[in-house]
Amino acid sequence: MSLVVAKFGGSSVATPERVKNIAHLLVERKSQGDDVVAVVSAMGSTTDNLIDLAKAVNAHPSGREMDNLMSTGELVSMSVLALAIEQLGEKAMGMNGRQVGIITNDDFGNAQIKEIHTDRIHEALKEGYIVIVAGFQGIDEDGDITTLGRGGSDTTAVAIAASLGADVCEIYTDVDGVYSADPRVVGKAQKLDRISYEEMLELAAAGSGVLHKRCVEFARNFDVKIHTRSSFENVPGTIVEDMIDVEKAIVSGVAYDNSEAKFTLRGVEDTQGVAAKVFNELAKRKISVDMIIQNISENGFTDISFTSPTSELENVKKILEELLTKLSARSYQINDNISKISIVGAGMKANSGVAAKMFQTLADEGINISMISTSDIRTSVVIDQTQFKHATQCLHTAFGLDGTEIFEDNTLSEQELKDKANKGR
Ligand code: ADP
Ligand code: ASP
Ligand code: MG
């Protein structure tokens, strides 16, 4: 007998039929003698619709009230799945974040899990219930509802798996595993049987929305194996785990991220403390910053560029306006038509020339690079967003990752991809 924690994403619970299929899957697992805890996301595009609803009545909603609203999507799918399981004659108990005891900080919209009380889940399992947990939410120390950031149900699932000591956390989604690139963009992407926490973390941070970045961090810190697999087909997916001894691929995957904008502060004095002032202002308002570059100064003045989520564009704009006066800067510029393209591979550390090959490949295709950043196992560049699909595809080919074209009919239109990217954060 084992303990199964299984998470079902929005598309997996989008319709009553799909919910019923999942109910069957869970009842089947229970009948095999396993203890079963399911974590669910909101049905289909419910969370996006809730955000649109909020925006229709308030242009600047407060974090607390937004989280009250956003948490309701997962409550619906939790209850509907529990009802579907009851219909099959099994006992099901739905639990929201408060009922489980998922305690977070009070960073509304992007809360971090601090602790999880699992007594109630244990009790329910002992009494023979299938437990259904509403993903993406917790409560802070004041008892207020918080949410974990877009895509955060993955993190709920892995955190619960870690607290319960489950050996594996299954993440059921609309693709059958982690691929060498988003299969909706690169038709020749190949499914990876296994991937290390280290590489998955970089891919998630680089925009591969298939797993929430914090869920991979949790899994690595608490040694939880993740099995990412299809909720539509019973085929093996991708195992994310510690992989110390294996031969490391130079490049395992290519990722794109269309969710950031580039901000440039022009003509700031090149003197000590200026960068600190800029990034302190952003940090104070909890705006995350990804890439940063500062140009060589000319006549004692320089330009500072950085990328931040497009969803924060209005807030960053306000800060830049304040900084113009405070720092007597010349002007600022905003470009929200950018894409970050990254190559990730654990073998990059030991191989020189990987970045050069990436830049040359893009140059040969007439793609201009406007920013670059690197880590031990990742190289990222910022390019014009109109070229992201072509850039991802040609890098995939250049690094020898192409397989047979299996996703030809599956590739999404530019608009659909844009919507998906916006949803992802
Ligand atoms: P869920 O709603 O189940 O959480 P998501 O939309 O968050 O599903 O994640 C699944 C999607 O991630 C896929 O449909 C795919 O388009 C996208 N994706 C991006 N990069 C990858 C990748 N490297 N491998 C697999 N899927 C990827
Ligand atoms: N429903 C939330 C979202 O759409 C959380 C999740 O799906 O993981 O972001
Ligand atoms: Mg997801």
Side-chain angles (χ1 to χ4, degrees), residues 7 9-10 41 150-154 171-173 209-212 423-424:
K7 178 255 168 179
S41 290
R150 299 302 309 270
S153 298
D154 294 343
I171 306 272
Y172 288 84
T173 184
V210 63
L211 287 176
H212 197 228
K423 181 206 130 193

Side-chain angles (χ1 to χ4, degrees), residues 176-180 190-192 195 200 203 210-211 228 238 240:
D176 60 0
V178 178
Y179 278 72
S180 50
Q190 297 191 69
K191 185 162 78 179
L192 309 172
I195 184 168
M200 192 62 236
L203 279 177
V210 63
L211 287 176
T228 308
T238 303
V240 187

